[in-house]
Amino acid sequence: MISGRLKALFLRGPIGLTVVSIILGFTVGGIVLVVAGFNPFEAYGAILKGTFSKPKYIAYVIIYATPLIMTGLSVAFAMRTGLFNIGAEGQFIVGAMVAAMAGYALHLPIWLHVPLCLLLAMMAAALWGGLAGYIKARFGVHEVISTIMLNWTAFYLSNWSLTLSGFGKPGTGKSFTIQETARIDLFSQWKISKEGIQFIRSHEYLGDVLKAPVNLGIVVAIVLALLVWYILNRTTLGYELRAVGFNPHAAEYGGINVKRSIVTSMSIAGGLAGAAGALQVMGVSHKIAKLAVMEGYGFDGIAVALIGNNSGPGSVLAGFLFGGLKYGGSKIQDAVGAPTEVISIVVGTIILFIAMPKLIQTLLKFKKG
Amino acid sequence: MTTITKKFGDFVANDAINLKVHRGEVHALLGENGAGKTTLMNILYGILQPTSGTIRINGRELKVTDPNVAIRHGIGMVHQHFMLVETFTVTENIVLGNEPTRSFGVLDMETAEREVAELSERYGLAVDPKALIQDLSVGSQQRVEILKTLYRGAEILILDEPTAVLTPLEIQELVGIIRNLTEAGKSIIIITHKLGEIKQVADFCTIIRRGLHVDTVDVNTVSEAELAAKMVGREVSFKVEKKKQVPGETILEIQGLCVEGGRGLPAVDGLDLKLRKGEILGIAGVDGNGQSELIEALTGLRKVKSGSIIMRGKNITNLSPGKIIEEHKIAHIPEDRQKRGLVFEFDIAENLILQSYGKPPFSKRFSLLWDNIYQNAERLIEKFDIRPQHPATPARALSGGNQQKMIIAREVSHEPELLIAAQPTRGLDVGAIEYVHRALVAERDRGKAVLLISFELDEVLNVSDRIAVIYEGKIVGILDAEGVDENEVGLLMAGGTA
Ligand SMILES: Nc1ncnc2c1ncn2[C@@H]1O[C@H](COP(=O)(O)OP(=O)(O)OP(=O)(O)O)[C@@H](O)[C@H]1O
Ligand SMILES: [Mg+2]
């Protein structure tokens, strides 16, 4: 019975589809490698080794995955309300900018500074996302268009903010570094102390982990993922948003305020992407820099959401997968000389197959006979 | 089709069904809601794969693995719900998938339009090849669907409940089209719940009950009552049983109501109406005389331009749908159940709380109480005989009739003071229709008011206590249902004066 259920889940449910898509993605990437004259097993071996062989690597994967999980959550949340949040990129930028400002300008004890920084960043990004929702609800402008424009607005706003005296550090194209009290790095002080160095030298595993800029971001990401799952599945708000996403006409008929739902959903999505930006500043970069191009955290979030089937837990898993590929993939260039772009091909193919469920389902049935 | 069986998990939707259709024949499929008619046809058309059984066409066995195979072998299907691209023209929709092209793959629209015009002329399917789908009436859209199958060379046409969405006049046109098609040697399989139509157009009728093949009969040799009994497994009463009842005070008063329709033209135009407690007021009228706009205005789904709606002494004009449901106790069975009435992706339990999710016992502060939500579903499924009896069944897996039962269950369970029922029996089998009519009468007997809107004159005449005739957005006459003259109503509906 249980194995039968599992089979059914794989055959029809989203998990089976995702797993098969991932396998196919790697297969296609492998073929590309062969055609390009590389040994795919070596290349994938290098990725695996570069991801798992040292505790430090795993720590890095987690650090890479953290912002992707949150932008993924952002896109997934909006998607559940039938909205396509291409604006996670801009919301990320706004979140990062506000976190950098609050982290530098405020002087507070750490237990207040950290949450306040995060909260302000999330609120600003929520407004940024909510604005796109409002424009849609009020004027009927599609959120894809408005969020793309808001992405660029955020991009230039962030770069302009660095010209403000008291925020941008003159001549560096960067902002001032945030206060120690706004950081979520683990043991950063202690790591450079005498005992810390001693500890890292003498403990093989833990010491290795500590060489990476480990921080509390992942905890926040997972808490937010659980929160997203809870809101969507266990609250009346989630019911409303899902109803609007599936069938706005029926939602309206049922007395749900569709326009307000659109604004709410985009605001929450914005807040989630903003948290990604804030945690990146508070845990990793400690400042923002002048952007030459979009960094792509928000756009990668679209892929993460798709692979994670637009769910909270799914986004966490997909975020790790994506983070692992991004970090591990950066190593195949050195290891076997294969271009890192292969990883983009793998990811692209996975998404392509996920977007074609019919094909996969046919393949699965085929296998079953 | 021989011994076709289809299982969904443990549930047997088709149980060894046999169906034989000859060239040039009209074959009706009859069965209760959820009997498995659509499932059987989806198997023939290749949308679903049978668990077992074989299909033969012109004597040759055929594996219909997908609709393309069906189309190649001359099978065409017009679905219960249309599948047209709203923003495309008639011709574009028809040729979609096998567009005629000039060299270099340039679309040859002129040829396509000419071919479509030819086809529509040959079979009497009047449509303008250049019109946009979104501008067409439901009847015309259906003709486009039929043309699409013919364009792809269909010899066997499957029509799934084609008449459920049509007005009486459009139904007569469709009957004419079917005659033209069979004369040209095409075979038709038609699903319908209306026994009169079967008698009128079909040669043979296959009856299915709960997935089982009951009988195949020559239509000329059976009466409507016999057909109904075979299908339900018991005698069905076509007459609505009603006690006499003295209506109470006025509950709803509509004064000088004006509402704009889709293109900004007045659809409801100075309408006055009063509804009393404990009565069923039926609105009779030809489709498109402002019925839809009136309902939407009453339920807050459409803006009122002028005039007022007074419910229990309070002005509810232009309030939000939520307020009208919640505070003014108006429930609404919508005419377009797929668009308004339910969320396909939600299961039965979730659909049953579409208006009440935010209230106890279904939620506490912000949290949903799933145990109560599922218990509520189990209770209503039992009470309203919704099949399959699983609260976690997604609405999309329900047959059309069971979707309707689910909506009625939900609306009645709110204990409304006023129930607006728009086309409540569209697409229902005779047994279920009897059930719905009883439910409406029961509401009335409990002292509630019921506003019934239906294009089926018989239904309005049978169920209502009073009949209001709507014509061009106005009520042109109110008659007592007791001893009413059908011709008089018909005349009023057509804009004549009694
Ligand atoms: N995909 C599915 N999964 C599970 N059950 C299904 C699915 N599709 C249909 N069913 C069930 O199979 C039964 C037959 O459905 P079907 O749509 O064929 O009924 P029908 O005879 O066309 O009814 P109606 O007259 O109401 O349209 C129903 O009980 C329905 O709930
Ligand atoms: Mg059906």
Side-chain angles (χ1 to χ4, degrees):
Chain A
M1 185 64 207
I2 288 189
S3 84
R5 269 206 188 166
L6 212 64
K7 216 170 175 183
L9 183 73
F10 272 85
L11 213 55
R12 278 191 224 103
I15 296 179
L17 174 68
T18 310
V19 170
V20 175
S21 301
I22 291 170
I23 295 170
L24 286 172
F26 279 106
T27 313
V28 171
I31 292 168
V32 170
L33 281 166
V34 171
V35 171
F38 299 99
N39 182 339
F41 296 103
E42 260 176 44
Y44 286 154
I47 294 181
L48 276 178
K49 230 172 99 195
T51 316
F52 294 112
S53 65
K54 278 195 193 169
K56 182 176 81 176
Y57 295 164
I58 297 176
Y60 264 110
V61 168
I62 293 172
I63 291 163
Y64 267 69
T66 304
L68 298 180
I69 290 172
M70 281 180 291
T71 52
L73 286 173
S74 165
V75 177
F77 193 90
M79 203 72 95
R80 284 301 192 88
T81 314
L83 297 164
F84 195 12
N85 181 22
I86 303 219
E89 190 73 36
Q91 295 144 15
F92 180 97
I93 294 173
V94 169
M97 181 181 77
V98 171
M101 287 178 171
Y104 170 66
L106 300 175
H107 297 268
L108 293 164
I110 186 163
W111 57 268
L112 198 64
H113 204 173
V114 165
L116 190 68
C117 236
L118 183 61
L119 199 71
L120 287 173
M122 284 179 78
M123 272 165 46
L127 279 177
W128 207 255
L131 184 59
Y134 178 78
I135 292 171
K136 172 161 191 162
R138 181 78 172 70
F139 305 107
V141 177
H142 199 278
E143 72 276 8
V144 166
I145 295 172
S146 59
T147 52
I148 287 177
M149 300 211 303
L150 284 168
N151 281 348
W152 287 107
T153 317
F155 180 90
Y156 289 114
L157 181 71
S158 173
N159 283 353
W160 171 78
S161 74
L162 292 172
T163 66
L164 297 174
S165 61
F167 180 57
K169 200 170 174 183
T172 61
K174 291 177 180 157
S175 70
F176 285 109
T177 316
I178 60 172
Q179 312 293 338
E180 294 286 345
T181 49
R183 296 185 192 180
I184 53 167
D185 312 41
L186 286 173
F187 318 113
S188 58
Q189 288 295 311
W190 178 79
K191 266 199 271 187
I192 47 171
S193 73
K194 226 172 165 187
E195 304 92 59
I197 293 168
Q198 190 66 35
F199 181 90
I200 290 172
R201 288 227 179 99
S202 57
H203 288 72
E204 198 184 334
Y205 285 103
L206 278 177
D208 197 40
V209 169
L210 287 172
K211 281 184 196 157
V214 285
N215 65 73
L216 283 173
I218 190 65
V219 180
V220 180
I222 287 172
V223 168
L224 288 177
L226 292 175
L227 199 66
V228 162
W229 176 85
Y230 186 83
I231 292 177
L232 283 175
N233 297 298
R234 286 281 183 270
T235 67
T236 53
L237 175 67
Y239 181 94
E240 284 176 12
L241 297 182
R242 283 186 300 132
V244 171
F246 288 136
N247 183 350
H249 300 292
E252 183 191 17
Y253 153 89
I256 295 168
N257 188 334
V258 174
K259 293 186 169 175
R260 197 180 60 204
S261 294
I262 290 172
V263 179
T264 310
S265 175
M266 282 304 286
S267 303
I268 294 177
L272 289 165
L279 295 179
Q280 198 66 5
V281 167
M282 293 159 68
V284 183
S285 64
H286 302 151
K287 52 172 138 347
I288 60 169
K290 186 158 193 258
L291 298 165
V293 291
M294 297 267 188
E295 290 174 294
Y297 289 108
F299 299 130
D300 288 347
I302 298 171
V304 169
L306 273 170
I307 295 176
N309 192 36
N310 297 324
S311 81
S315 296
V316 174
L317 294 177
F320 278 124
L321 175 75
F322 212 119
L325 282 174
K326 249 183 130 174
Y327 177 67
S330 66
K331 300 197 169 163
I332 61 173
Q333 186 110 35
D334 288 339
V336 293
T340 305
E341 279 71 27
V342 169
I343 293 308
S344 308
I345 294 177
V346 171
V347 172
T349 318
I350 295 174
I351 290 165
L352 201 66
F353 281 117
I354 284 182
M356 298 193 293
K358 266 265 148 35
L359 183 75
I360 307 262
Q361 263 147 13
T362 319
L363 283 174
L364 272 170
K365 269 190 206 139
F366 219 58
K367 258 193 228 150
K368 216 184 109 200
Chain B
M1 304 178 85
T2 22
T3 58
I4 298 284
T5 297
K6 175 71 189 176
K7 294 184 183 164
F8 294 109
D10 299 335
F11 180 81
V12 189
N14 283 172
D15 195 351
I17 295 183
N18 295 314
L19 178 70
K20 201 188 257 177
V21 181
H22 306 93
R23 188 176 293 279
E25 158 182 312
V26 179
H27 199 113
L29 271 187
L30 181 64
E32 288 178 280
N33 296 122
K37 307 176 295 291
T38 301
T39 303
L40 185 67
M41 289 302 104
N42 281 343
I43 289 171
L44 177 57
Y45 192 55
I47 295 174
L48 293 172
Q49 298 306 310
T51 313
S52 63
T54 52
I55 297 172
R56 279 199 193 81
I57 290 177
N58 295 327
R60 264 217 321 267
E61 188 171 331
L62 180 69
K63 277 237 173 315
V64 194
T65 45
D66 66 82
N68 291 324
V69 176
I71 292 166
R72 266 205 306 282
H73 289 83
I75 302 169
M77 180 156 176
V78 176
H79 295 270
Q80 216 161 343
H81 309 103
F82 304 150
M83 308 195 167
L84 298 169
V85 185
E86 295 253 311
T87 50
F88 277 19
T89 67
V90 167
T91 305
E92 284 168 333
N93 265 285
I94 290 172
V95 301
L96 199 69
N98 39 2
E99 304 85 355
T101 47
R102 297 202 189 105
S103 45
F104 304 115
V106 178
L107 198 60
D108 186 357
M109 235 22 204
E110 278 153 39
T111 312
E113 266 165 22
R114 208 174 47 242
E115 284 172 0
V116 170
E118 259 169 41
L119 266 181
S120 70
E121 183 133 350
R122 179 151 15 120
Y123 298 107
L125 287 145
V127 278
D128 172 8
K130 288 187 180 137
L132 289 179
I133 295 296
Q134 59 194 14
D135 296 336
L136 294 183
S137 70
V138 177
S140 307
Q141 292 189 15
Q142 187 174 64
R143 289 199 281 269
V144 175
E145 286 276 16
I146 295 175
L147 276 171
K148 198 160 101 187
T149 62
L150 292 172
Y151 183 82
R152 295 171 173 187
E155 289 299 316
I156 305 169
L157 272 84
I158 306 166
L159 308 177
D160 193 352
E161 296 196 31
T163 58
V165 290
L166 299 185
T167 61
L169 191 70
E170 288 173 324
I171 292 175
Q172 286 323 307
E173 287 170 8
L174 179 67
V175 168
I177 293 166
I178 291 178
R179 294 244 159 87
N180 292 340
L181 289 169
T182 46
E183 264 162 36
K186 314 247 180 222
S187 312
I188 314 271
I189 304 177
I190 181 169
I191 301 179
T192 174
H193 290 293
K194 298 181 194 163
L195 303 168
E197 287 166 9
I198 294 181
K199 290 289 286 181
Q200 193 184 357
V201 296
D203 304 308
F204 289 93
C205 177
T206 290
I207 298 131
I208 303 173
R209 193 192 312 147
R210 299 200 177 197
L212 283 164
H213 183 191
V214 177
D215 205 355
T216 298
V217 293
D218 182 338
V219 169
N220 292 322
T221 64
V222 290
S223 71
E224 287 184 28
E226 279 166 334
L227 280 175
K230 272 188 199 296
M231 146 182 166
V232 188
R234 63 177 165 88
E235 294 290 320
V236 182
S237 122
F238 291 100
K239 187 82 198 127
V240 184
E241 315 260 340
K242 268 193 317 194
K243 313 195 286 286
K244 226 177 150 42
Q245 175 149 332
V246 188
E249 64 203 73
T250 300
I251 183 167
L252 177 78
E253 188 168 359
I254 305 170
Q255 287 167 342
L257 192 71
C258 291
V259 185
E260 281 183 357
R263 297 205 190 96
L265 300 170
V268 178
D269 196 7
L271 181 140
D272 297 303
L273 193 63
K274 266 187 196 161
L275 184 54
R276 290 169 298 181
K277 282 185 176 173
E279 76 168 348
I280 300 178
L281 176 65
I283 295 197
V286 177
D287 187 12
N289 275 289
Q291 292 99 321
S292 308
E293 290 81 1
L294 170 63
I295 301 164
E296 291 191 341
L298 287 176
T299 49
L301 294 166
R302 192 182 276 271
K303 279 267 161 294
V304 171
K305 226 176 127 214
S306 63
S308 63
I309 305 166
I310 312 291
M311 174 78 185
R312 295 191 294 177
K314 298 212 176 69
N315 192 337
I316 62 162
T317 319
N318 281 334
L319 290 186
S320 72
K323 274 228 166 68
I324 291 174
I325 296 164
E326 182 76 11
E327 287 167 26
H328 299 282
K329 299 246 162 265
I330 298 181
H332 168 204
I333 300 165
E335 65 178 326
D336 190 339
R337 61 169 166 257
Q338 309 250 327
K339 181 179 165 194
R340 288 279 187 203
L342 50 83
V343 179
F344 261 143
E345 291 81 357
F346 277 179
D347 63 21
I348 298 180
E350 287 174 301
N351 269 297
L352 284 172
I353 56 164
L354 192 56
Q355 295 96 341
S356 46
Y357 63 90
K359 285 193 301 193
F362 306 126
S363 63
K364 202 172 147 191
R365 260 171 277 139
F366 302 111
S367 296
L368 293 171
L369 301 173
W370 284 108
D371 286 347
N372 294 347
I373 292 168
Y374 276 88
Q375 267 166 28
N376 171 64
E378 266 160 26
R379 192 173 52 83
L380 291 177
I381 285 171
E382 173 81 34
K383 192 167 157 204
F384 288 82
D385 191 24
I386 301 166
R387 291 178 227 164
Q389 306 192 309
H390 272 298
T393 314
R396 74 159 72 255
L398 294 181
S399 76
N402 280 296
Q403 292 173 356
Q404 187 73 349
K405 282 190 192 171
M406 180 179 79
I407 292 170
I408 293 170
R410 179 182 67 209
E411 298 310 313
V412 174
S413 72
H414 292 156
E415 314 226 317
E417 292 297 326
L418 166 62
L419 177 62
I420 300 174
Q423 319 291 347
T425 58
R426 183 186 268 183
L428 295 198
D429 66 59
V430 285
I433 289 176
E434 190 186 4
Y435 182 90
V436 171
H437 288 165
R438 282 217 194 108
L440 295 182
V441 172
E443 285 301 297
R444 150 200 188 257
D445 290 347
R446 288 172 56 228
K448 313 298 177 192
V450 177
L451 185 65
L452 169 71
I453 296 96
S454 175
F455 302 144
E456 308 244 0
L457 188 51
D458 280 346
E459 177 164 53
V460 176
L461 294 177
N462 266 327
V463 181
S464 317
D465 299 311
R466 283 193 304 149
I467 296 160
V469 182
I470 191 169
Y471 179 74
E472 293 192 337
K474 289 187 189 66
I475 299 295
V476 291
I478 297 186
L479 308 144
D480 232 321
E482 188 85 19
V484 73
D485 178 0
E486 196 172 322
N487 292 327
E488 191 185 338
V489 180
L491 199 63
L492 285 168
M493 280 166 62
T497 40

